[in-house]
Structures are given as structure tokens and as C-alpha cells.
Amino acid sequence: MTDYELKVYEELQTWRKKVLKQSGLINQLSKKAQTKVNGMIPERAHKIITDSIKNMVKATLIGSNITTKKKQPSELSLFKRDEILKEKLTSYRKTAVIEGAGTGAGGIFLGLADFPLLLSIKMKFLFEAAAVYGFDTDEYEERLFILHVFQLAFSSDDKRKETFHIIENWEAEKVHLADMDWRVFQQEYRDYIDLVKMLQLVPGFGAIVGAYANHNLLDTLGEHAMNAYRLRLLTHQPQDY
């Protein structure tokens, strides 16, 4: 193991503690309130929302897979892969900020358009991350891993811990996974972003909120994506380095 890999290993331990740490009181109360509201929504409405997000995500997965350059030089070091991903994150973050400011400035109608646009930016970034670290997204299990990284980034405490366990033990856990629980997937994501995205719908104020929120959401996704793939490489593919 190189000096850089040892440094990354230490960073992964810090990241693990951060992921498994309990959220603050405000976030816990917010989650409880959102869970109560979700319980008041008719089942038919839940099904419509779940199916809509499921179809949206699957369409984004197909599009992202087609447009992602999958061939990366196999001799790249972990340091070089990290640097490439950081550059890509900077680019995608800028795109997300511009998109958030633009849709936020338009008030409620353009604000509603932010959801699918931001989702597509996030998914495309995850496909790029997989390619950077040498994983083939033509394989179903790799697209399933991408969805788990997404869920890890945007979930409540309990679901985040559960998802981290799956990612940390991916080779053993993947054989038990046929598909995502789409109801949980969409509800966790909605609960995570609901408050800030509702503020984005306020005319005039929405542009600032949209830009700031999208910047932070991409940062969160970038951190979890980089560390999830680092973890897989250092744990399961040490021969590559």
C-alpha cells in the first residue's frame, strides 16, 4: 500500500464515522415531522409519486449510461483517479449551481422543473465516478451500486446506516439485491431535500437558495461517491494498485 493509499484509508475511517454519526436534534425532529406528513398522504398518491420517480430515475440511468465514456486507462493510480473525479465534480457542481439559480429565479413553475434537471445532473456525475474508478456501468450490479451511493448521500440516519453497511460489504450483499425499494428510495430523497427545495420556489429569493442548495447537494454526493468507490478499490481490488 502506497503512502497515498494509507492517507486515503485514514480518510475513509473518518468518513465512516461521519456517515454513522447520529444527526442533530433539528434534523431528527424534521424527519419525524416529514414521516408524520407522509403517513397522511393517500396510498394512491404515494404510488403515483413512487412510479413517477422510479421511471424518471430509470430513464436517467439509461441516458447517463449511453453518454458516459467508460474506457479509462487501467494503469491510473488511485491518486490520479481522485484528481480526475475532483475535476469532474467541480464541473458538475458549476452546472448544478447555474441550473439551481436559473430555475429558482423563475419562481414556482421553473422551480418545479429543478427536480428532474438536478436529478439528471446527479446521476450523470455518478456514472462518471464509476467510470473514473474503473467500474463498467453496462453491468446491472454497477447501476444498482450507483443507486445505493445516491441513497447513501440523501437519506435519514437509519437508512443511511443500512445503506452504508450494504456498500461496505458490497460483494457479499449484492447477491441478495434484485432491485431498489423504490418507495423508500423516493421518500428518503424527497424528505432530504423537501425543505430547501420548497424555499427555492419563492420568487426572488429562490435563485439564491437554488444555487446554494445545489452546490451543497453536489458536494455531498461527490464526497460519498468518491469514498464509496475508494472503499471498493482498496477493499476488493488491491491488485490494481
Side-chain angles (χ1 to χ4, degrees):
M1 187 174 280
T2 67
D3 288 344
Y4 183 73
E5 289 166 8
L6 287 171
K7 175 176 176 290
V8 168
Y9 182 79
E10 292 176 359
E11 290 176 359
L12 287 173
Q13 303 313 303
T14 301
W15 173 63
R16 186 180 192 277
K17 291 177 182 177
K18 179 180 178 180
V19 170
L20 299 180
K21 183 181 178 181
Q22 196 77 7
S23 292
L25 180 60
I26 293 177
N27 286 339
Q28 292 180 45
L29 292 174
S30 176
K31 176 60 179 176
K32 287 181 179 179
Q34 288 166 329
T35 300
K36 186 174 182 178
V37 171
N38 285 329
M40 298 167 64
I41 298 174
E43 184 60 31
R44 178 172 174 76
H46 274 300
K47 187 177 187 309
I48 291 173
I49 295 170
T50 297
D51 289 344
S52 296
I53 293 180
K54 175 181 177 180
N55 292 334
M56 188 189 305
V57 171
K58 287 193 170 184
T60 304
L61 288 175
I62 294 171
S64 297
N65 192 41
I66 292 172
T67 58
T68 299
K69 179 183 176 183
K70 301 183 179 65
K71 295 295 183 181
Q72 297 284 342
S74 59
E75 69 275 8
L76 288 179
S77 66
L78 180 58
F79 172 78
K80 184 60 178 176
R81 292 178 194 272
D82 283 352
E83 290 302 303
I84 292 173
L85 188 67
K86 288 175 184 177
E87 291 175 4
K88 289 185 178 293
L89 176 59
T90 298
S91 176
Y92 276 86
R93 188 170 52 216
K94 287 179 180 177
T95 301
V97 167
I98 293 170
E99 182 272 321
T103 54
I108 187 166
F109 294 109
L110 281 181
L112 291 173
D114 173 73
F115 187 90
L117 290 174
L118 181 60
L119 183 63
S120 66
I121 292 170
K122 290 173 180 173
M123 287 297 176
K124 185 68 173 76
F125 170 75
L126 288 175
F127 271 82
E128 294 281 3
V132 165
Y133 289 100
F135 294 96
D136 186 359
T137 52
D138 283 336
E139 297 181 10
Y140 175 75
E141 70 176 60
E142 294 306 330
R143 298 195 295 276
L144 198 57
F145 185 82
I146 281 173
L147 291 175
H148 279 83
V149 173
F150 186 95
Q151 187 164 254
L152 179 69
F154 307 118
S155 289
S156 59
D157 287 351
D158 290 343
K159 193 62 185 178
R160 187 175 64 249
K161 292 173 184 176
E162 177 188 326
T163 305
F164 181 79
H165 173 77
I166 293 173
I167 287 176
E168 190 175 34
N169 302 280
W170 181 250
E171 294 304 314
E173 293 290 334
K174 67 183 182 183
V175 298
H176 307 299
L177 301 171
D179 199 358
M180 295 297 292
D181 184 331
W182 290 102
R183 169 74 173 266
V184 172
F185 182 90
Q186 62 86 14
Q187 196 159 294
E188 289 285 340
Y189 182 52
R190 283 170 50 214
D191 286 355
Y192 188 95
I193 69 172
D194 262 356
L195 178 59
V196 70
K197 285 305 177 184
M198 287 300 290
L199 291 175
Q200 188 176 333
L201 300 181
V202 180
F205 185 61
I208 299 173
V209 175
Y212 179 77
N214 285 8
H215 183 284
N216 288 346
L217 290 171
L218 260 293
D219 265 354
T220 297
L221 186 62
E223 176 190 9
H224 289 304
M226 175 179 282
N227 285 317
Y229 283 111
R230 282 168 151 187
L231 183 63
R232 283 185 72 185
L233 287 177
L234 291 180
T235 303
H236 302 298
Q237 296 184 345
Q239 69 274 14
D240 288 349
Y241 301 98

